[in-house]
Amino acid sequence: MRTDALIEQLAASRPLGSSPRATLVAAIAAGLLASAVIMLAWLGVRPDLGRAALTFPFWMKLFYALAIALIALGWTIRLARPTGALRSSAAMIAVPLALIALLAAFELARLPSSGSTAMWLGHSSNVCTERIVVLSLPILAAALIGLRRLAPTHLVSAGALAGLLAGAAGTLVYALHCDESSAPFVALWYTLGILLVGALGGVSGRLLLRW
Amino acid sequence: MEAEAQLKGLMLAARAGDAAAYRSLLRQVGAHLRAYYGRRLGRGAADAEDLVQETLIALHTKSATYDASQPFTPWLHAVARYKLIDYLRRQRRTQMTLLEDADDLTAHADHEAATARRDIETLLTRLPKRAQTLVRDTKIEGLSTAEAASRAGMSESAVKVAVHRALRALSSMLAGDTKP
């Protein structure tokens, strides 16, 4: 087809698409819904949710995951544009981790050394990380579908940030079930789950985000 | 930069539903892209035109990723560059490193007619002066043989013979000239 004919065809309608922010927020919302449904069917909400909502550890976990999710969302939106690229300011995503590591160190310092292993391992370390990863998968899938409608030019970065976002969002969902409450546990196992999903997102980005 | 202000204005108008503005935008962007890809892929590559079309389609479908509060040409350049790199990757020509900025895209516009005219002019200068004048007068300016003859102070039949010889010389130049 000659280019003139193509131009006539394109000019017959408006330039297309929905904004990166709208697309990704909608995608994450859909993913969260799917993840929540899976969590309810598979694991169930923790029975003491009402009581837990009055304790510090519950909100610590929530705020940790929420902080990472919001920072990652901002960067994913940026990276969804052709002009978007990672800058050094993206390092701020490590701030929530630094804070929780500080809290973990504080909690450990208050204990006799014999108690610290229990702090690190809790009673569910062998399943916690993998459950976070599983619950993050629908959210990662939704984020990648959203990104395919957009125009990232740094595919691995976009995928990785979408992965961190999905991991943090999956953590939020999981926090409604998980009854671990020590900062060292969260700092280690939750973070590991989020990072694994980030890595998965980075690999998927390279494979799936071309346009 | 002039191109920035104009292209951005057209893009925003196009988003608001102005079809004429959109058509104008696509034509101008097409000209810039043709020059941009032509320089990098070699003039005369059929692929360059395919890439121009692909990029115009991408502009159309991914337009919402342009943030109206930002300059337009860097966005356009990022899209063009991405498409070029993807094309080179598909062709396995990944050795090129593209060091450039948005000005590289909008500094040149390749309009086909202008290019053709330029090529003809280049060939004409290889003819003797009088032949050049006669060809220009009769074929480009559109004068009749009689008018060209009186301008040159020659008879009409002499003009006809001279023009005929000049055109033959031009066509053998075009046939033998395989440089892009």
Side-chain angles (χ1 to χ4, degrees):
Chain A
M1 182 198 275
R2 280 192 49 77
T3 307
D4 294 340
L6 173 66
I7 288 177
E8 284 309 310
Q9 200 172 25
L10 295 177
S13 61
R14 292 190 192 201
L16 297 178
S18 57
S19 80
R21 186 172 295 125
T23 306
L24 287 170
V25 168
I28 297 304
L32 271 172
L33 195 59
S35 184
V37 167
I38 292 172
M39 190 275 291
L40 289 172
W42 175 31
L43 301 169
V45 168
R46 60 188 294 186
D48 60 344
L49 186 60
R51 232 180 320 129
L54 301 173
T55 67
F56 170 73
F58 181 78
W59 295 103
M60 164 197 63
K61 290 188 285 184
L62 233 53
F63 277 117
Y64 177 54
L66 193 60
I68 294 185
L70 289 175
I71 297 171
L73 177 62
W75 279 99
T76 307
I77 290 173
R78 252 168 138 166
L79 288 166
R81 302 182 197 278
T83 44
L86 281 182
R87 293 184 205 282
S88 51
S89 54
M92 72 194 279
I93 205 166
V95 169
L97 174 59
L99 290 176
I100 210 163
L102 220 56
L103 190 59
F106 180 66
E107 283 190 13
L108 286 171
R110 293 167 62 200
L111 291 179
S113 52
S114 59
S116 66
T117 317
M119 276 238 147
W120 284 110
L121 295 181
H123 51 264
S124 52
S125 64
N126 59 337
V127 298
C128 175
T129 298
E130 71 190 42
R131 284 176 178 177
I132 285 179
V133 171
V134 169
L135 289 173
S136 303
L137 292 179
I139 309 173
L140 179 59
L144 290 172
I145 291 173
L147 281 172
R148 281 182 66 83
R149 297 181 170 193
L150 301 167
T153 51
H154 294 84
L155 305 186
V156 175
S157 306
L161 268 297
L164 292 176
L165 170 57
T171 302
L172 280 173
V173 173
Y174 183 63
L176 298 174
H177 165 82
C178 173
D179 58 358
E180 300 287 350
S181 56
S182 81
F185 186 92
V186 171
L188 180 59
W189 301 108
Y190 279 33
T191 307
L192 189 59
I194 294 173
L195 290 176
L196 281 173
V197 184
L200 183 59
V203 171
S204 309
R206 179 175 274 279
L207 298 173
L208 301 176
L209 294 181
R210 294 199 193 281
W211 46 280
Chain B
M1 221 207 128
E2 246 180 40
E4 164 61 34
Q6 191 191 19
L7 292 176
K8 178 166 179 170
L10 288 174
M11 179 59 165
L12 297 180
R15 270 189 175 170
D18 183 344
Y22 195 23
R23 191 177 298 116
S24 177
L25 174 71
L26 291 170
R27 288 213 183 107
Q28 290 188 41
V29 167
H32 287 303
L33 290 172
R34 203 167 288 118
Y36 177 75
Y37 293 139
R39 281 202 308 282
R40 284 156 182 77
L41 298 178
R43 185 64 45 83
D47 299 337
E49 197 59 29
D50 283 346
L51 207 43
V52 170
Q53 293 191 7
E54 254 189 65
T55 309
L56 289 176
I57 292 172
L59 186 159
H60 182 73
T61 55
K62 307 290 184 180
S63 65
T65 61
Y66 164 58
D67 180 351
S69 70
Q70 300 296 314
F72 178 71
T73 41
W75 179 87
L76 182 61
H77 181 230
V79 172
R81 197 190 134 109
Y82 174 82
K83 280 293 182 186
L84 175 61
I85 291 174
D86 196 53
Y87 168 80
L88 293 173
R89 180 191 59 87
R90 280 182 273 143
Q91 305 291 322
R92 298 184 203 291
R93 283 160 62 183
T94 46
Q95 303 312 313
M96 288 173 65
T97 322
L98 300 175
L99 299 167
E100 48 186 56
D101 62 27
D103 286 344
D104 269 27
L105 178 56
T106 53
H108 304 274
D110 188 336
H111 299 275
E112 281 168 17
T115 316
R117 174 66 183 265
R118 218 186 321 131
D119 290 341
I120 296 284
E121 289 291 346
T122 315
L123 289 175
L124 273 178
T125 55
R126 297 196 208 172
L127 294 174
K129 260 275 177 285
R130 193 176 69 175
Q132 284 187 41
T133 315
L134 291 174
V135 169
R136 281 209 187 89
D137 284 353
T138 54
K139 298 298 172 191
I140 299 176
E141 306 292 335
L143 297 178
S144 71
T145 317
E147 288 165 339
S150 68
R151 259 202 198 182
M154 293 163 66
S155 69
E156 271 191 56
S157 50
V159 168
K160 282 186 194 165
V161 167
V163 167
H164 177 74
R165 282 198 190 131
L167 290 180
R168 256 205 326 201
L170 280 176
S171 62
S172 63
M173 274 188 232
L174 280 169
D177 195 310
T178 51
K179 280 190 300 177

